[in-house]
Amino acid sequence: MAGPAAGALAGLGTFAVVILHKPFDAMAIGTLMAAGGWSRPARHLVNVAFALAIPIGVIAFNLGASQFAAPQHHFLGAALGFTAGTFLCIAASDLLPELQFHSHDRVKLSLALVIGVAFAALLGSFEAESHGHGPEHGVHRQGQG
C-alpha cells in the first residue's frame, strides 16, 4: 500500500485508543466527582477541561516539536515511544489488578485483554503498511541489494 491513501492509516491505533477510552474516562471522572459531592458546574468544568486535554496536547506538541523536527529526526520517534510506553503502563496498571482481584470475572477479563491485543495488532498491521519501509524508500533488508 502506498500513496496518499496509505498515509491516512498512520496513527489509526492511537486514534482508536483515544476515541474508545475518552468517554469512559470522562464518565469515571464525573461519577467519582458526583460521589465526592462536587457541584454540577464544577463537574462540567472538569469535563470540559478533560475534553480539551487531547487537542491542547496535540497543538502544544506540534508547536514544540516543530523546532526539533528538522535538525533531529529522532525526536519524534522518542516522543512516540514514550507515549506508547505510557499507554502500556496505564493499560497494565488498570487491567492487571482487575485480573488478580476479580477471579469470578477472570475468564471474561482475560478474553477482553486478548481481544484488545489482537485489535491492536490488526491496527498495527495497517499502520505498518502505510509507513513505506522497504527498498523503494532507501531501506534495504538483509540479503537485498
Side-chain angles (χ1 to χ4, degrees):
M1 186 181 289
L9 295 176
L12 182 63
T14 304
F15 175 76
V17 167
V18 171
I19 292 297
L20 294 173
H21 284 87
K22 203 73 163 157
F24 297 109
D25 290 342
M27 182 180 67
I29 290 170
T31 302
L32 290 172
M33 289 180 75
W38 289 68
S39 69
R40 183 178 296 257
R43 292 192 314 254
H44 286 308
L45 182 63
V46 168
N47 216 357
V48 167
F50 185 70
L52 292 175
I54 297 292
I56 289 172
V58 168
I59 291 168
F61 178 79
N62 281 324
L63 291 175
S66 64
Q67 63 183 328
F68 297 110
Q72 301 172 349
H73 297 286
H74 65 278
F75 175 76
L76 183 59
L80 291 174
F82 176 79
T83 304
T86 302
F87 276 136
L88 291 174
C89 180
I90 291 169
S93 67
D94 283 350
L95 187 58
L96 293 179
E98 293 295 320
L99 287 171
Q100 178 67 30
F101 296 118
H102 295 283
S103 59
H104 57 282
D105 288 333
R106 191 168 287 158
V107 173
K108 292 179 202 172
L109 291 171
S110 297
L111 184 61
L113 174 63
V114 169
I115 290 169
V117 169
F119 183 63
L122 177 68
L123 290 176
S125 70
F126 287 123
E127 289 182 342
E129 292 176 9
S130 71
H131 287 308
H133 297 288
E136 67 278 4
H137 295 282
V139 177
H140 297 279
R141 291 187 175 89
Q142 189 173 9
Q144 293 180 340

